[in-house]
Amino acid sequence: MPEPFATFSSVAALAAIAALGVTALRLRRARKKFNEEVSAWKLKLDLDLRQAKRERDQLLDALGDAFMLVDANSRVLFANKAARTLFRGRDLTGRTVQEAFLDQRLAAALMRCLDTGEPTVTRAVLPQQSSPLGDQERRGMNAWVIDAARLSDSPADDPTTRVVIRDVTSEYQTEQIRKDFVANASHELRTPLAIINGYLENLIDDDLLDDKELTRRFLKVMRKHTERISRIVEDMLVISRLESGEAAALKVKPFRIRSCVSDVLERLESVIHNQQATIKIDMPDLDFTFAGDRFYWTQVLFNLVENALKQNPRPGLTVTIGCSRNEEVTRIWVADDGVGIPSADLPHIFRRFYRVEKHHSQEEIKGTGLGLSIVKRAVEAHGGGIDVSSTPGQETRFTMEVPREAEARLLAEAEANALPELQKMTD
Ligand code: ATP
Ligand code: MG
């Protein structure tokens, strides 16, 4: 017969063991559930993080400027699409700044910001080969602004530095053109002014005014140079008016090209006669009308025909002036069979003050080098473009094309602007 107490204690023990088992099972289940939830959270967090990163990258890729994030060890953490393009598709992530930038001056500017934490804005003008990025296709100088600053004020929070690299080459080129223009214009004006001044000094200081004959000769020379100054100033004003892009710069009306050509030939009549040049007109319809500013088109044709005659003083030159039209464009051209323009000079001849010096004896041929610059701007102001081709000794041809749609638009604008004026007059 077992002891009642012994029986009780073994039952209790069994119950306790069973209870422990249940608790352990519950615990295991709870732990499994917990682990599953943690994994689900981790997965969600990971997905959210990836989504946020994708959105950030998309946003930064949409930036036109190159953008990079650099860590405290000067390693690139992130480079947006523009930066990748700038660095010619090289994988920048993980590289140091010194490795990424081919030009160490740019790297140094960036390193200063990384070392000191001070924001920095550096402008660098570099020849093509050493541009951050060594783009071989575009020649000349490239200008860059590197703007770097820490993301956070306290480096303990976040030592990441953001870097923006802006290509300011076109602004730099515009600035260069303006500087060149001022320098060239001053130079061109200084020469005739110095000559006039020299003659005046002679007349006054050497007391030559009593010599009527000499005074007359000196005054004539001075007048020639004053005319030259007036012409340069006039040309510069025309260029600046055309460049202003104001619609009011053009007075658009339909006019007959033939009458414009007649004016040009009349003005150049004595030169044509003296040089025994032949002028051919290649126009299917002599009543050919064109909507534009007659004043500028006369200037354009005058410059082109005058150039052909001026550059070829030897007798026997043939100059052809032509125009044609199809549904899309009106084409006007001037061609000659003279000395031509060397191919190396062709890309530059529309630049202000540019003159071909090598093959012509330019000291004898007068000019400032503004003519073609005006021609180009006048054609562009009409919504058109100009092209040149030259085979020295055979044919030099300037072809201007104005889309019919641009011609119609300018005419419609001019008529719309004229209406209120007419209204005013009848009121
Ligand atoms: P400007 O017209 O201001 O009096 P310019 O005639 O020298 O001076 P552009 O009309 O701009 O200046 O012409 C620039 C240069 O292009 C000329 O100096 C000349 O060297 C060259 N050129 C232009 N047209 C011809 C041509 N038909 N044949 C040969 N060279 C030309
Ligand atoms: Mg000229």
Side-chain angles (χ1 to χ4, degrees):
M1 195 67 194
E3 291 259 341
F5 178 73
T7 312
F8 173 76
S9 61
S10 53
V11 169
L14 277 174
I17 288 166
L20 266 176
V22 170
T23 312
L25 198 70
R26 279 204 191 122
L27 266 174
R28 250 202 315 276
R29 279 206 197 122
R31 197 172 60 205
K32 195 169 165 229
K33 200 166 165 228
F34 175 75
N35 283 343
E36 277 168 6
E37 273 176 17
V38 167
S39 308
W41 272 105
K42 265 192 188 161
L43 201 69
K44 187 168 178 321
L45 210 64
D46 199 38
L47 281 174
D48 284 354
L49 261 173
R50 268 194 234 174
Q51 175 67 15
K53 195 171 165 302
R54 229 188 340 264
E55 281 172 8
R56 180 202 73 176
D57 291 359
Q58 272 172 359
L59 212 66
L60 292 171
D61 277 350
L63 279 178
D65 293 330
F67 179 90
M68 296 197 294
L69 291 173
V70 180
D71 72 8
N73 300 319
S74 78
R75 284 193 186 275
V76 177
L77 295 171
F78 169 82
N80 75 346
K81 196 170 159 198
R84 296 192 298 273
T85 311
L86 192 65
F87 288 82
R88 318 204 91 216
R90 276 194 292 153
D91 188 12
L92 300 173
T93 321
R95 284 179 192 254
T96 63
V97 164
Q98 289 94 335
E99 282 167 359
F101 282 81
L102 296 184
D103 187 273
Q104 289 311 306
R105 275 175 295 173
L106 296 184
L110 198 50
M111 287 309 292
R112 262 198 308 282
C113 171
L114 292 171
D115 290 343
T116 63
E118 291 296 319
T120 168
V121 178
T122 312
R123 197 177 108 135
V125 178
L126 305 169
Q128 203 63 71
Q129 307 84 292
S130 53
S131 281
L133 343 158
D135 186 343
Q136 297 301 320
E137 281 125 44
R138 285 159 56 198
R139 297 262 182 94
M141 305 298 276
N142 269 355
W144 307 93
V145 166
I146 308 237
D147 176 351
R150 284 251 168 89
L151 280 185
S152 155
D153 288 340
S154 98
D157 290 349
D158 188 354
T160 312
T161 298
R162 63 117 184 101
V163 186
V164 179
I165 309 171
R166 201 166 300 132
D167 183 350
V168 289
T169 306
S170 80
E171 286 93 326
Y172 168 76
Q173 281 169 349
T174 313
E175 193 185 309
Q176 266 329 97
I177 290 172
R178 194 189 53 78
K179 279 189 190 157
D180 288 353
F181 184 45
V182 173
N184 288 332
S186 321
H187 174 78
E188 288 296 327
L189 291 172
R190 214 165 33 209
T191 314
L193 274 172
I195 297 171
I196 295 170
N197 211 19
Y199 279 98
L200 283 174
E201 266 175 23
N202 278 344
L203 281 176
I204 298 164
D205 297 351
D206 302 344
D207 216 1
L208 301 173
L209 284 166
D210 288 338
D211 185 339
K212 287 264 182 302
E213 190 43 42
L214 194 73
T215 308
R216 181 184 293 276
R217 250 185 47 217
F218 278 17
L219 285 174
K220 268 187 166 171
V221 180
M222 284 195 278
R223 187 172 66 185
K224 207 178 86 196
H225 288 284
T226 326
E227 278 166 3
R228 183 162 155 69
I229 294 173
S230 310
R231 170 132 187 241
I232 295 173
V233 171
E234 195 51 48
D235 283 355
M236 291 197 312
L237 285 174
V238 170
I239 292 181
S240 99
R241 216 175 304 139
L242 287 169
E243 280 183 347
S244 72
E246 289 170 36
L250 295 183
K251 293 191 173 47
V252 177
K253 261 203 278 188
F255 65 91
R256 280 169 59 235
I257 300 250
R258 185 67 178 89
S259 73
C260 197
V261 172
S262 298
D263 284 359
V264 171
L265 298 182
E266 205 179 292
R267 278 163 65 185
L268 289 167
E269 197 179 350
S270 65
V271 190
I272 296 169
H273 178 76
N274 291 342
Q275 287 186 207
Q276 297 160 36
T278 308
I279 307 288
K280 282 191 184 161
I281 310 286
D282 186 358
M283 261 183 233
D285 172 10
L286 289 182
D287 282 330
F288 195 102
T289 57
F290 176 79
D293 190 322
R294 192 182 188 283
F295 168 79
Y296 285 118
W297 282 99
T298 312
Q299 288 259 83
V300 165
L301 290 174
F302 181 85
N303 263 307
L304 295 176
V305 179
E306 189 210 29
N307 276 354
L309 292 164
K310 198 164 64 170
Q311 302 300 329
N312 299 285
R314 270 187 287 145
L317 182 81
T318 301
V319 182
T320 309
I321 307 167
C323 57
S324 67
R325 166 176 286 171
N326 63 26
E327 277 178 11
E328 264 131 47
V329 291
T330 299
R331 192 170 291 129
I332 302 173
W333 69 90
V334 174
D336 69 75
D337 56 358
V339 288
I341 304 165
S343 56
D345 292 290
L346 279 181
H348 310 293
I349 55 163
F350 294 106
R351 275 178 21 202
R352 289 180 278 212
F353 298 106
Y354 192 87
R355 306 188 71 218
V356 179
E357 273 157 21
K358 287 140 239 149
H359 71 310
H360 310 144
S361 65
Q362 287 284 21
E363 300 87 62
E364 283 162 31
I365 300 173
K366 298 272 173 293
T368 318
L370 287 175
L372 285 179
S373 184
I374 294 177
V375 167
K376 184 167 191 286
R377 278 161 187 79
V379 178
E380 283 172 356
H382 284 84
I386 182 163
D387 212 358
V388 57
S389 65
S390 182
T391 311
Q394 284 183 31
E395 188 189 68
T396 298
R397 179 183 283 253
F398 287 87
T399 310
M400 292 153 286
E401 286 190 347
V402 180
R404 299 289 299 270
E405 169 266 317
E407 191 183 337
R409 181 170 36 81
L410 278 180
L411 184 62
E413 277 170 19
E415 283 172 353
N417 287 338
L419 276 179
E421 289 299 315
L422 249 144
Q423 196 74 44
K424 258 191 252 160
M425 280 163 73
T426 49
D427 281 349

